[in-house]
Amino acid sequence: EEAARGPVDCGLKTSILGPVKSHVRAAAQQLGCRFGEPTMHGVAGRAGTSDHPRGLAVDFMVDRATGDALAACALENMEALGVKYVIWEQAINHGNGWTPMEDRGGATANHFDHVHISFDGRGGGGPVRGC
């Protein structure tokens, strides 16, 4: 059983994420291993109110099919992983359905080439289930 094995560890290097919170690193490890070890971005300067500078967000650079599956998996496991919200394809989901977002001007700004996952500060890092 998965719970007995603990979180998935495929050897994915999460050091590239910078000083993200430990539960964010654990979630990135699990999701990254499950979804083809995509390029990931963690702590970075961002304009506006991003969770990246605080170590509470990860971007997963993916194609559409992978992004659809990864976003769905993160939302299915919100409580276990401590997910606050997911942004994908110019829409945001806080766990209660997708809401369209304003056009920010390009594929990356509008999250068409990556899934953004923001995490709350209370923790998480539990095992991913069902995806």
Side-chain angles (χ1 to χ4, degrees):
E1 180 177 288
E2 182 177 326
R5 291 194 321 261
V8 174
D9 182 358
C10 62
L12 182 65
K13 298 210 183 315
T14 59
S15 58
I16 60 166
L17 296 175
V20 295
K21 306 298 183 203
S22 62
H23 68 286
V24 174
R25 187 173 309 280
Q29 176 79 31
Q30 291 187 78
L31 293 170
C33 286
R34 286 180 184 266
F35 293 98
E37 302 182 36
T39 298
M40 299 182 296
H41 302 284
V43 174
R46 297 285 196 284
T49 58
S50 174
D51 287 320
H52 283 285
R54 296 181 300 145
L56 290 171
V58 175
D59 289 338
F60 296 84
M61 307 305 290
V62 292
D63 60 30
R64 183 171 189 172
T66 303
D68 288 348
L70 194 155
C73 183
L75 291 166
E76 281 178 41
N77 289 277
M78 287 184 83
E79 188 173 330
L81 297 177
V83 171
K84 184 165 59 171
Y85 61 85
V86 176
I87 302 175
W88 173 234
E89 294 189 327
Q90 203 175 332
I92 188 167
N93 191 326
H94 290 89
N96 54 359
W98 292 100
T99 302
M101 297 176 71
E102 74 280 359
D103 185 348
R104 296 181 178 178
T108 298
N110 287 323
H111 299 83
F112 281 99
D113 61 2
H114 69 283
V115 175
H116 169 98
I117 303 176
S118 278
F119 298 85
D120 60 39
R122 68 169 167 76
V128 170
R129 299 186 186 281
C131 45

